[in-house]
Amino acid sequence: MNIVEADPKDMSVGYGGLPNEDGIVELDSCCMHGPSSNAGSVASIRDIKLPSRVAQLVLKRTDHVMLVGEGARRFALAHGMKAENLLTDAARRKWLKWKENLSDKDDWLSPKEAETGHEARPTGTITCLGLNPAGELSGVTSTSGLAYKIPGRIGDSPIIGAGLYVDNDVGACGATGRGEAVIISCGSRIVVENMRHGMSPEAAVKDVLKRIVKQTVDPRLLDKKGRPDFEVVLYALHKDGRHAAGSIYKGRQYAVNEGGESKLLDCVHLLDR
Ligand code: GLY
């Protein structure tokens, strides 16, 4: 996780992540340790390259689960982490393009549309689940969140039970995609509960994706066919080693390493585009 967080070319997590609407990078991350049933989380943290490491420190070195904003930043500095500007030039240019094209009624003037093309509003998150030979489960999720979000917006990624949940007796689940939908559905926790009640990882993630589709009734969030106009991906790892990932729409993959070469596997899905 730290390798990707530190990579300036990855615009979905850590250093180089796309900023909020003010052009400031705010990061969310959490981790959970199955054997101790303990968790750590940071939300909306600024200036710190590796938020998942701060989340791990919250788990190990505090009596709390979640630190947010300036408190999280000061906690990271207290542990010797460096405050750095996380906005790379590439991310700043993308943000500026978004800002200039936001409205033709403000004072930010963009170059002509024909020159720039349409810029989609990207999201990106990484979740990583692990099972060791002793049968111990752990997980971590990290993100720079929704690009150009309202400052202070927190997604699902730092929320235990939404962007991540680990139960050492059952399994683990992490989530990527539209955080608001994952929070409202308590996505990862429900996937783990589904596995506790006997569902396979595949059935467990599909059940929660169906709930998300059913809960999405606001016309603002629906496409022309009345289906969600966003994506959610849920990744499930059973304590017995079985795993699956599921997306609302066809075409997603997830990475697995069971010793030796890593491989990319297809997600199960609910809907074709
Ligand atoms: N799933 C990441 C976010 O919505 O912030």
Side-chain angles (χ1 to χ4, degrees), residues 125 143 145-146 153 155-157 176-179:
T125 304
T143 189
L146 179 67
R153 178 264 189 189
D156 59 318
S157 303
T176 62
R178 180 176 160 80

Side-chain angles (χ1 to χ4, degrees), residues 34-243:
S36 60
S37 294
N38 203 0
S41 157
V42 289
S44 218
I45 186 171
R46 298 181 176 187
D47 300 337
I48 305 294
K49 248 183 190 170
L50 308 177
S52 67
R53 196 165 282 177
V54 191
Q56 190 185 33
L57 281 167
V58 173
L59 184 158
K60 286 187 169 165
R61 303 286 291 271
T62 76
D63 189 34
H64 306 320
V65 169
M66 194 166 194
L67 294 179
V68 62
E70 179 57 16
R73 181 180 172 280
R74 279 163 48 187
F75 173 76
L77 297 179
H79 278 275
M81 293 189 180
K82 266 199 321 203
E84 297 169 73
N85 179 11
L86 304 182
L87 188 68
T88 57
D89 208 46
R92 181 194 58 75
R93 281 200 302 271
K94 272 184 175 284
W95 164 79
L96 184 62
K97 191 168 168 184
W98 168 80
K99 192 161 178 68
E100 287 182 339
N101 284 285
L102 199 55
S103 168
D104 55 10
K105 297 186 176 58
D106 65 18
D107 298 331
W108 293 79
L109 305 180
S110 65
K112 290 204 167 45
E113 280 275 301
E115 282 171 38
T116 60
H118 174 70
E119 187 70 17
R121 200 171 163 201
T123 56
T125 304
I126 297 177
T127 189
C128 183
L129 309 173
L131 174 65
N132 72 13
E136 296 171 336
L137 288 156
S138 286
V140 58
T141 301
S142 187
T143 189
S144 50
L146 179 67
Y148 326 131
K149 59 197 172 186
I150 295 174
R153 178 264 189 189
I154 293 170
D156 59 318
S157 303
I159 298 178
I160 299 298
L164 180 71
Y165 197 72
V166 178
D167 185 319
N168 214 48
D169 291 336
V170 180
C173 179
T176 62
R178 180 176 160 80
E180 284 72 9
V182 179
I183 294 171
I184 287 167
S185 62
C186 301
S188 291
R189 172 75 198 220
I190 302 289
V191 168
V192 172
E193 289 309 300
N194 282 345
M195 292 195 287
R196 188 193 310 281
H197 297 301
M199 281 189 197
S200 66
E202 180 176 326
V205 296
K206 272 189 151 176
D207 171 67
V208 174
L209 292 168
K210 280 183 196 157
R211 295 182 195 214
I212 290 173
V213 172
K214 192 159 178 237
Q215 285 175 327
T216 306
V217 291
D218 188 336
R220 201 172 46 81
L221 297 173
L222 299 174
D223 67 13
K224 286 193 187 112
K225 294 181 184 164
R227 309 175 311 175
D229 73 348
F230 57 82
E231 182 64 290
V232 168
V233 188
L234 297 168
Y235 310 80
L237 173 60
H238 196 281
K239 190 173 175 57
D240 66 13
R242 286 177 295 153
H243 50 78

